[in-house]
Amino acid sequence: MTPHPMHGPNRFKLGVFAANADGGLTVTKVPERWTAAWPEVVQAARIADRAGIEFFLPIARWKGFGGEMNSRQHSYETFTFAAALAGVTERIGLFSTVHVPMVHPLFAAKAWATVDQASNGRAGLNIVAGWNPDEFAMFGLDRVDAPYDQAGEWIDVISRLYTESNPFDHAGKYYTLTGAATLPKPVRGGRPPVLNAAFSPPGRDFAARHADFLFTTFKNIEAGRATIADVAQRAAGTGRKVGVYTTTHVVCRPSRAEAEDYYHHYAVTMADDAAIDYVMAKQSANASNHDPETYRLHRKWFAGGAGTYPLIGTPADIADQMVEMADAGFAGTTVSFVNFAQELPFFCDGVLPLLQKAGLRE
């Protein structure tokens, strides 16, 4: 069978990020903001699928951010989201995002394999140790002292469930299983691709030991080189290789002025300020997704795309920056938009041919 889309031939791979939640990554009040209505999600997924974009990556959210729009309150659970999209797409990789403390590994193994079977081998998993105490409280959970230790045990249990043919017992620090087994297994046998979103040293160590790809942020493309080198060194210490992806929010327009004007309009003039205050305060206090300077200097980035790197301009501007990312060593990036269904066609028609011409995509 064909390789998983994450292992396909393109040197610089692309994913669509956060289309399962209202607002996507934005925290804005513009009327055209993404509502995540199911027909529009299907439309966006099919556009990305036909264009050859490698993967569709959801966020895992259980509580909204407040403010006027309460962004992210409307969001789809990610295993069922991926399974549903399996029936309406053909080639694109379908990731699920899981907060480890909220999902037992035996359930996760069954759900993940279900998505893989339904999609004929296109499933993937984005592992998040968890960061929002308000969401943890909804589940009656306290954050553990060493979340990546728990995540390591969690994915090890799943890997055993996929590779061992006989039931087994497991007595660990976080999980106790007796006679554990699961069927079906993933289509290719073994574990489908694992993505881990992390910026901190413990997160990078976890990715070096357990993930296939690290998903990280940066304040400028050049600074990304240091992250890539650090991850490569950590992975080499475990005898593994880990690809590094980054994440962006995109405004792609026929002219740079038009793109910059719209970015200011939705991320400054029409920003949902109370919600931005909430998400920045929670992330800076409880997560290590960004360096401190990003929180201090880039409020607009959080309104525009949850603190991810902005790609604002013409198709040529955006393609040029993606070439810089690839030259820095990034294996790919995710993209998000104010409205995925409305903006993906122009992005795909304008940017992808330029990346092909640059030798980054077939």
Side-chain angles (χ1 to χ4, degrees):
M1 62 186 306
T2 58
H4 190 282
M6 297 296 285
H7 300 303
N10 289 331
R11 175 184 160 198
F12 192 77
K13 296 179 174 62
L14 298 172
V16 175
F17 188 26
N20 68 310
D22 75 299
L25 289 185
T26 70
V27 187
T28 183
K29 300 180 292 186
V30 293
E32 67 273 18
R33 68 187 286 277
W34 186 242
T35 65
W38 183 249
E40 294 176 344
V41 171
V42 171
Q43 182 184 0
R46 285 174 166 165
I47 292 168
D49 190 37
R50 288 193 298 266
I53 288 175
E54 278 81 6
F55 61 103
F56 216 69
L57 175 65
I59 58 174
R61 285 272 72 83
W62 302 94
K63 185 178 180 66
F65 291 161
E68 292 186 42
M69 309 306 296
N70 199 22
S71 295
R72 317 295 197 274
Q73 181 65 64
H74 173 102
S75 65
Y76 298 104
E77 187 281 322
T78 65
F79 279 125
T80 48
F81 180 75
L85 288 179
V88 297
T89 57
E90 297 179 357
R91 299 183 299 176
I92 196 166
L94 299 170
F95 275 78
S96 301
T97 297
V98 176
H99 290 139
V100 165
M102 299 175 184
V103 182
H104 192 279
L106 187 62
F107 177 88
K110 176 76 76 173
W112 192 11
T114 300
V115 176
D116 202 59
Q117 289 283 337
S119 64
N120 193 29
R122 293 186 280 134
L125 193 67
N126 177 27
I127 297 175
V128 181
W131 65 268
N132 190 335
D134 292 344
E135 291 187 328
F136 276 41
M138 293 173 69
F139 286 80
L141 296 172
D142 294 321
R143 184 169 182 173
V144 299
D145 293 333
Y148 286 108
D149 289 346
Q150 181 181 11
E153 183 177 337
W154 188 87
I155 193 60
D156 282 343
V157 169
I158 293 175
S159 296
R160 288 189 68 186
L161 286 163
Y162 286 162
T163 56
E164 297 191 17
S165 56
N166 297 318
F168 63 88
D169 297 342
H170 172 85
K173 180 178 180 180
Y174 300 97
Y175 302 102
T176 300
L177 294 82
T178 302
T182 192
L183 283 174
K185 312 286 189 185
V187 169
R188 293 180 180 83
R191 199 184 69 187
V194 168
L195 184 69
N196 172 234
F199 184 87
S200 67
R204 295 180 187 184
D205 285 338
F206 172 84
R209 294 191 302 269
H210 299 286
D212 302 296
F213 307 100
L214 176 74
F215 185 47
T216 192
T217 58
F218 57 77
K219 59 187 176 184
N220 57 64
I221 293 173
E222 186 59 33
R225 294 181 186 272
T227 298
I228 293 165
D230 180 64
V231 172
Q233 183 178 13
R234 293 172 193 264
T238 67
R240 305 178 69 247
K241 291 184 178 180
V242 176
V244 180
Y245 280 73
T246 191
T247 177
T248 65
H249 56 283
V250 177
V251 180
C252 186
R253 296 292 189 271
S255 73
R256 188 179 302 177
E258 184 180 355
E260 291 174 347
D261 286 347
Y262 184 67
Y263 187 37
H264 184 85
H265 171 67
Y266 91 80
V268 178
T269 305
M270 294 294 288
D272 192 345
D273 289 315
I276 298 166
D277 290 340
Y278 170 84
V279 69
M280 290 184 69
K282 290 295 181 181
Q283 284 202 10
S284 62
N286 299 289
S288 299
N289 294 339
H290 306 279
D291 62 85
E293 188 177 9
T294 300
Y295 291 110
R296 184 171 61 87
L297 296 178
H298 296 303
R299 180 181 178 88
K300 186 176 181 180
W301 290 15
F302 283 87
T308 62
Y309 188 77
L311 293 177
I312 314 298
T314 67
D317 294 329
I318 291 167
D320 287 346
Q321 290 189 77
M322 288 185 173
V323 170
E324 289 185 50
M325 293 176 189
D327 290 344
F330 283 102
T333 188
T334 64
V335 293
S336 64
F337 305 87
V338 172
N339 187 298
F340 295 87
Q342 292 177 8
E343 297 180 66
L344 263 170
F346 184 72
F347 170 85
C348 292
D349 291 343
V351 176
L352 298 190
L354 297 176
L355 297 181
Q356 181 181 7
K357 185 176 181 181
L360 298 187
R361 300 180 64 82
E362 294 187 350

